[in-house]
Amino acid sequence: GYKGTFSENAVLYHDQSNLSSLSSFIKKKFRYMVGATIAYKMNGKLFNGIGKSGKSGFLTNDPFELLLILMKPFAFITALIIFPRKS
C-alpha cells in the first residue's frame, strides 16, 4: 500500500516492456533469484525461503516455470559465491 497502508482494491502494474527476448527474461529472473537468496541468507531464513520457493513451479504447466526451476540451483550457488559469509 501507499506509505504502509493497506488498500484492498489496489492494482499493481509491473512494467515488463523491457523483456522483449528470452535472454532478457532469463537475466532478470536470475538476478532476482540471486538477490532473493542473499536476502534470505542475510535474514537467517535461507532454507525456509528455499523450501517455499520450490513448490510454486510444480502447480502449472507453464514452460517458463520449468525454466525457472532449472535456474534456481545455479542462482543459489552464484549467491553463495557472491555472499559467502555466514548469516
Side-chain angles (χ1 to χ4, degrees):
Y2 177 72
K3 293 188 178 180
T5 59
F6 177 72
S7 175
E8 187 173 326
N9 297 323
V11 177
L12 177 64
Y13 293 103
H14 291 281
D15 182 15
Q16 303 284 331
S17 62
N18 61 335
L19 301 178
S20 58
S21 68
L22 182 60
S23 64
S24 62
F25 172 79
I26 290 171
K27 287 176 188 176
K28 181 175 183 174
K29 293 299 181 181
F30 188 78
R31 282 192 304 265
Y32 172 79
M33 288 178 194
V34 170
T37 303
I38 291 172
Y40 283 134
K41 188 172 182 181
M42 289 178 69
N43 292 319
K45 307 281 184 191
L46 182 61
F47 293 105
N48 293 343
I50 290 173
K52 292 177 186 174
S53 72
K55 296 177 184 175
S56 64
F58 295 108
L59 301 176
T60 65
N61 290 327
D62 186 6
F64 288 113
E65 287 293 331
L66 177 61
L67 177 64
L68 295 177
I69 290 169
L70 295 174
M71 288 170 49
K72 286 181 182 185
F74 297 104
F76 178 75
I77 292 168
T78 302
L80 295 181
I81 292 169
I82 292 172
F83 192 78
R85 68 181 181 160
K86 297 182 180 181
S87 57

